Each structure stands twice: as structure tokens, then as C-alpha cells.
Amino acid sequence: MKFKEPISMKRLINLFKNKFFLVTLAFLIWMIFFDKNDLFSQYEYRTQVNKLKKERDFYKAQTDQVTKELNELTSNPQQLEKFAREKYLMKKDNEDVYLIVPEKTEK
């Protein structure tokens, strides 16, 4: 069984003398490091897009939840009264409202 010999020094020098190889190498280096859309910028753009997609999904879920609550409030008077009492502390004329706030426990 014969093993391949490593690339000889003469072959490596011939490779670097080849103008097509040098132009291709220069082009790749330029595109990877110095171009406006280099690899680092692409990575940052991709992370930003992923972050924005997560935010979009969060806000879409929030919008769906608020729309559902709005439909419940506009269609059910008891639900509207409950919402007004809990969120805005509204009361009827002959009622007293007591607000109970739980104490915060320090750790």
C-alpha cells in the first residue's frame, strides 16, 4: 500500500505562481473580510433577523390575545364589568372597594 506524498514545495510554488489561483485567492479574501457583505456582517444580519422573527412572533401572539379579550369584552357585559372592576377599580354607587396588595418577600 502506497501513501500519497505531501504536496512538494515545488508544486506549492508553482501553485502560487499561477495567476488564476492568485486572482481567485485575492477575490475570496476580499469577499470574506473586506467586502460590505463580508462573513461577519452576514452573521450579524442573520442574528438580527432571528431576533426580529422572535419579536414578531411575540407581538403577534400578544395581538391575538388582546383581540380575543376585546371580542370577549364587546360581546359579554358581565366580562366588561369584571374587567372594569379589576383593571380600573370601578364600583357601583352603593359598593365599597378594598384593594388587597400582597407583601413582597425579600430574599
Side-chain angles (χ1 to χ4, degrees):
M1 190 187 249
K2 206 174 195 184
F3 293 103
K4 277 184 141 181
E5 292 182 23
I7 298 177
S8 67
M9 194 62 148
K10 184 177 180 184
R11 193 167 173 192
L12 192 61
I13 291 172
N14 286 338
L15 184 63
F16 279 106
K17 284 184 180 179
N18 186 341
K19 63 182 174 184
F20 298 112
F21 175 75
L22 291 176
V23 169
T24 304
L25 184 64
F27 175 74
L28 288 174
I29 290 172
W30 180 265
M31 293 303 291
I32 291 173
F33 296 108
F34 302 113
D35 192 48
K36 182 178 100 176
N37 296 317
D38 62 351
L39 285 180
F40 303 114
S41 298
Q42 291 297 324
Y43 176 75
E44 289 175 2
Y45 295 150
R46 187 164 311 272
T47 56
Q48 186 177 10
V49 165
N50 290 337
K51 178 183 170 191
L52 290 172
K53 283 181 181 179
K54 287 179 184 177
E55 285 183 18
R56 179 198 63 193
D57 294 340
F58 171 75
Y59 287 124
K60 187 174 181 182
Q62 288 294 101
T63 303
D64 292 342
Q65 180 182 358
V66 169
T67 304
K68 180 183 170 192
E69 289 177 2
L70 178 64
N71 288 338
E72 288 177 3
L73 290 176
T74 55
S75 64
N76 190 350
Q78 289 84 15
Q79 196 70 9
L80 179 62
E81 183 178 339
K82 179 182 175 188
F83 179 79
R85 287 173 181 265
E86 290 176 357
K87 297 288 182 181
Y88 298 109
L89 303 176
M90 293 183 168
K91 65 181 184 81
K92 294 181 181 177
D93 290 336
N94 59 355
E95 291 181 332
D96 291 329
V97 175
Y98 298 99
L99 183 62
I100 301 172
V101 180
E103 292 183 17
K104 292 183 179 178
T105 58
E106 293 187 29
K107 293 180 181 180

